[in-house]
Amino acid sequence: MGEEAGARFSYNAGISACEKGEQWQQALALLSEMRGAKLELDVISYSAGTSACEKGGQWQRALALLTEMGEAKLEPDVFCYNAGISACEKSEQWQRALALLSEMWDAKLEPDVISYNAGVSACEKSEQWQRASALLSEMREAKLEPDPQSPITLGSARARRVSSGSGLWRCSARCGIRNWSWTSSVTTLG
């Protein structure tokens, strides 16, 4: 491994550690140090930085890193997009979450369960029930099932039904997606 590659590897390991320790400020500081040392950031650098910002609730910084990646002529991978979508979901930025999903499709990347769950959750939190239902339908077409640990679990759906009397519970029934395992479980509680 060359000197530059070794230094990049070390920085990326540090940024990943910051991400796991939810230290987004330190992750951004390490990215800045890399730039100052004239080290080229790679997909791993950006992915770890974006994920650190996501975990720190810094959706704008996460999206800025994704934009910077494009400017550096690097292609974000599914992990980078998932971190961006999750950052938007946590901050109730449903339009931006859906825009990132659209960018994934444009880049010929296949959204995975994490991508869809974060998109659905962003829509659910903003009471965009029809959009959430549309994403659930797309998941079904892609033969993906919602993660049982995601925010759209049985408890979340039941809480929404009880608290609002509308929402994803009713929308899923109206949109004919009762055959989903989680929806079937929810409708039996009614």
Side-chain angles (χ1 to χ4, degrees), residues 35-77:
R35 289 183 199 98
K38 306 287 188 231
L39 289 172
E40 282 188 37
L41 280 68
D42 61 10
V43 173
I44 296 168
S45 312
Y46 282 108
S47 181
T50 303
S51 189
C53 291
E54 175 256 323
K55 287 186 174 37
Q58 302 296 311
W59 69 271
Q60 292 161 319
R61 287 185 170 92
L63 296 186
L65 287 174
L66 287 174
T67 299
E68 186 180 316
M69 257 185 108
E71 292 167 358
K73 306 289 188 244
L74 291 172
E75 302 271 335
D77 59 13

Side-chain angles (χ1 to χ4, degrees), residues 2-46:
E3 190 175 316
E4 184 175 322
R8 183 175 18 262
F9 178 84
S10 295
Y11 272 106
N12 286 347
I15 296 166
S16 293
C18 292
E19 176 252 326
K20 288 173 182 41
E22 298 184 18
Q23 300 294 316
W24 65 270
Q25 299 98 330
Q26 283 77 13
L28 293 180
L30 288 173
L31 288 170
S32 182
E33 277 184 37
M34 286 180 77
R35 289 183 199 98
K38 306 287 188 231
L39 289 172
E40 282 188 37
L41 280 68
D42 61 10
V43 173
I44 296 168
S45 312
Y46 282 108

Side-chain angles (χ1 to χ4, degrees), residues 5-167:
R8 183 175 18 262
F9 178 84
S10 295
Y11 272 106
N12 286 347
I15 296 166
S16 293
C18 292
E19 176 252 326
K20 288 173 182 41
E22 298 184 18
Q23 300 294 316
W24 65 270
Q25 299 98 330
Q26 283 77 13
L28 293 180
L30 288 173
L31 288 170
S32 182
E33 277 184 37
M34 286 180 77
R35 289 183 199 98
K38 306 287 188 231
L39 289 172
E40 282 188 37
L41 280 68
D42 61 10
V43 173
I44 296 168
S45 312
Y46 282 108
S47 181
T50 303
S51 189
C53 291
E54 175 256 323
K55 287 186 174 37
Q58 302 296 311
W59 69 271
Q60 292 161 319
R61 287 185 170 92
L63 296 186
L65 287 174
L66 287 174
T67 299
E68 186 180 316
M69 257 185 108
E71 292 167 358
K73 306 289 188 244
L74 291 172
E75 302 271 335
D77 59 13
V78 172
F79 300 109
C80 293
Y81 277 111
N82 284 351
I85 295 166
S86 293
C88 293
E89 175 261 328
K90 289 177 180 172
S91 301
E92 298 184 31
Q93 298 293 319
W94 67 271
Q95 294 107 328
R96 294 183 194 279
L98 295 184
L100 288 174
L101 274 169
S102 181
E103 281 182 34
M104 286 181 79
W105 292 311
D106 292 345
K108 307 289 187 251
L109 291 172
E110 299 242 355
D112 61 11
V113 171
I114 295 167
S115 315
Y116 279 112
N117 279 336
V120 169
S121 181
C123 292
E124 179 190 25
K125 286 179 179 180
S126 299
E127 298 184 5
Q128 298 295 316
W129 310 115
Q130 290 179 330
R131 285 175 168 69
S133 179
L135 285 178
L136 289 170
S137 293
E138 287 179 28
M139 280 183 84
R140 184 173 60 185
E141 288 172 19
K143 302 205 181 333
L144 297 172
E145 291 248 359
D147 180 351
Q149 300 302 313
S150 77
I152 56 173
T153 59
L154 171 65
S156 176
R158 186 164 194 207
R160 291 278 188 217
R161 188 196 89 173
V162 171
S163 67
S164 70
S166 64

